[in-house]
Amino acid sequence: METSSTPTRSRGRPAKMAAPEAVATALRLVDEEGLDALTMRRLATALGVQVGTLYRHFATKQDLLTAMAEEMLAGCADPPPDQDTWQEQVIELAGRLRAALLRRRDGARIYAGTHAAGPNTLAYAEALVGVLRGAGRSAESAARSTLAIVHFTLGHTLEEQAVGSAADGAAGGLYAALEPGRYPNLAAAAATLTSADYARHFAHGLDLLVRGLG
Amino acid sequence: METSSTPTRSRGRPAKMAAPEAVATALRLVDEEGLDALTMRRLATALGVQVGTLYRHFATKQDLLTAMAEEMLAGCADPPPDQDTWQEQVIELAGRLRAALLRRRDGARIYAGTHAAGPNTLAYAEALVGVLRGAGRSAESAARSTLAIVHFTLGHTLEEQAVGSAADGAAGGLYAALEPGRYPNLAAAAATLTSADYARHFAHGLDLLVRGLG
DNA sequence: ACCTGAACACCGTTCAAGT
DNA sequence: ACCTGAACACCGTTCAAGT
């Protein structure tokens, strides 16, 4: 996975294209047109290169997406959270992950569709496990809780970005189904369920997890 | 969205293809070959029909996927959970959602990529909100907690199915990064983080959420 | 060593024309 | 009313050949 071996001091033709530049350009294309519009051909055109050239740097499109996912987490782990309590530090780190995914269009979809295991991802997991172990939990408990926090954050952000971009009438579908007397609980909850106040939704879920840890 | 209007008592040619049958066949194809192998052309071939015919029943491939997502949740809401405590009922319902997504190959990816708002999805949300309201929570709190539970379940199951199918060396990547003295917390947590005991991971996250609600 | 050019085997979607 | 046949405008990936 990841990029191919770094070609330091090549003797032949000077490289026309560099992998980090390709990743940055790919992320820019996604920001502008969305993930579905990112194709190897369009990326090649944006880089002023032939399609086949991309395959010297990324064996597959999936590898390109993995490099993009890894890049999105740059700076997520440092500076280390310096809040007074471990609870606040967990909330800080989870918030950074959400922010990193939200920063780019379709960021959560990119991250969920890959298995980044580069230095940014590892440093982030290291920090989160570290905060929990520092709070006195066993390595096993810290590991499981890290997974729970990351999975909640990913699921939440996936939904947040999907609704934000598509506007495909999911809320409309909900309201449409509520005319009769069916779904009384959904009727009572509809205002909250369809509200766009994702920051509060996120804070609520995180609060549940952190209190559960308490 | 969803399927087109039901053609009851059509006067012209008898229909060669029915939407529910198409959804069932599409889910079977995904089970056999994976979501990436599901194309409109292959589905048409499996149904003994031309590609264009599919577009009388589903305006886009996305609509087909939405119908598949909705179908996957059939039976998820009933029978109503009958455990003694609301905590156990929440765990039961979350477990049913996970099981429904796991039942089909790439089920979580299908569900996460769509916005199903059909009767199965609505009945499931109705049940979960109902259990929380029955536990004495406000409609708003019940709504937010439902979102947290569903998003955690989706994020968890997405990861569970992705690792299960691809085996692309995410665990290998983790272990590979641990040789030096870097990532000491990951080194301590690695055995748990890379374990395939997803049922326990899921139970742990759910326990945090439920205790947070307590 | 690195890139070009061209091909292979596909896609989702549309639509005139048939029955 | 419903389906066929054929096309349009693309895809990801591979690989000989050029420089």
Side-chain angles (χ1 to χ4, degrees):
Chain A
M1 284 87 271
E2 220 73 337
T3 68
S4 57
S5 61
T6 329
T8 41
R9 299 194 135 285
S10 59
R11 197 77 73 94
R13 234 196 216 189
K16 191 174 176 185
M17 185 206 134
E21 185 202 338
V23 169
T25 302
L27 284 169
R28 187 172 53 72
L29 284 182
V30 169
D31 273 344
E32 290 167 0
E33 318 236 37
L35 180 55
D36 294 335
L38 176 69
T39 68
M40 297 298 267
R41 287 161 193 273
R42 276 147 101 118
L43 176 57
T45 301
L47 290 166
V49 134
Q50 296 288 329
V51 212
T53 304
L54 290 174
Y55 288 85
R56 308 223 131 251
H57 301 269
F58 307 97
T60 63
K61 186 181 181 183
Q62 194 60 221
D63 282 6
L64 167 68
L65 290 166
T66 300
M68 292 165 68
E70 169 65 14
E71 174 63 24
M72 289 194 303
L73 253 59
C76 237
D78 31 51
D82 64 347
Q83 284 77 3
D84 289 337
T85 67
W86 64 263
Q87 286 94 339
E88 292 171 301
Q89 293 179 12
V90 166
I91 289 171
E92 163 72 19
L93 282 175
R96 284 191 202 172
L97 177 57
R98 171 170 172 258
L101 300 179
L102 287 181
R103 191 162 291 130
R104 336 262 352 185
R105 169 128 75 129
D106 294 326
R109 250 171 87 203
I110 295 172
Y111 206 84
T114 56
H115 277 283
N120 295 330
T121 297
L122 292 177
Y124 180 78
E126 169 74 12
L128 194 43
V129 173
V131 167
L132 292 167
R133 288 184 82 203
R137 319 204 67 91
S138 71
E140 180 177 341
S141 164
R144 286 199 209 285
S145 301
T146 291
L147 290 175
I149 291 163
V150 168
H151 291 158
F152 163 69
T153 302
L154 201 57
H156 166 91
T157 311
L158 221 31
E159 198 71 11
E160 178 170 359
Q161 272 182 331
V163 173
S165 64
D168 53 353
L174 212 175
Y175 276 119
L178 299 183
E179 334 117 346
R182 312 185 54 179
Y183 310 120
N185 290 308
L186 285 186
T192 304
L193 285 176
T194 64
S195 92
D197 199 351
Y198 294 105
R200 280 189 68 188
H201 291 163
F202 183 66
H204 180 84
L206 217 45
D207 184 60
L208 293 183
L209 288 167
V210 167
R211 292 176 55 163
L213 280 163
Chain B
M1 282 98 259
E2 219 72 338
T3 68
S4 58
S5 60
T6 330
T8 41
R9 300 195 135 284
S10 60
R11 197 78 72 93
R13 235 195 216 190
K16 191 175 176 185
M17 186 206 131
E21 184 201 340
V23 170
T25 302
L27 284 169
R28 186 171 53 72
L29 284 183
V30 170
D31 272 344
E32 289 167 1
E33 317 236 36
L35 179 56
D36 293 336
L38 176 69
T39 69
M40 296 299 266
R41 288 161 193 274
R42 277 149 100 117
L43 177 56
T45 300
L47 291 166
V49 135
Q50 297 287 329
V51 211
T53 304
L54 289 174
Y55 288 85
R56 309 221 131 251
H57 301 269
F58 306 96
T60 62
K61 186 181 181 182
Q62 194 60 221
D63 282 7
L64 167 68
L65 290 166
T66 300
M68 292 165 68
E70 169 65 13
E71 175 63 25
M72 288 195 301
L73 254 61
C76 237
D78 30 53
D82 63 348
Q83 284 77 4
D84 290 338
T85 68
W86 64 263
Q87 287 93 337
E88 292 170 301
Q89 292 178 14
V90 166
I91 289 171
E92 162 73 18
L93 281 175
R96 285 190 200 171
L97 177 56
R98 171 170 172 259
L101 299 180
L102 287 181
R103 190 162 292 130
R104 336 264 348 186
R105 169 124 79 127
D106 293 326
R109 250 171 88 203
I110 294 171
Y111 206 85
T114 56
H115 276 284
N120 294 330
T121 297
L122 292 177
Y124 179 78
E126 169 74 12
L128 193 43
V129 174
V131 167
L132 292 167
R133 290 184 81 205
R137 318 203 70 90
S138 72
E140 180 178 340
S141 164
R144 286 199 209 284
S145 301
T146 292
L147 291 175
I149 292 163
V150 168
H151 290 159
F152 163 69
T153 302
L154 202 57
H156 166 92
T157 311
L158 221 32
E159 198 71 12
E160 178 170 358
Q161 271 182 331
V163 173
S165 64
D168 54 351
L174 212 174
Y175 276 117
L178 299 183
E179 334 117 345
R182 313 186 53 180
Y183 311 120
N185 291 307
L186 284 186
T192 304
L193 284 175
T194 63
S195 91
D197 199 352
Y198 295 105
R200 279 189 69 189
H201 291 163
F202 184 66
H204 180 84
L206 217 45
D207 183 60
L208 293 183
L209 288 167
V210 166
R211 292 176 56 162
L213 279 163

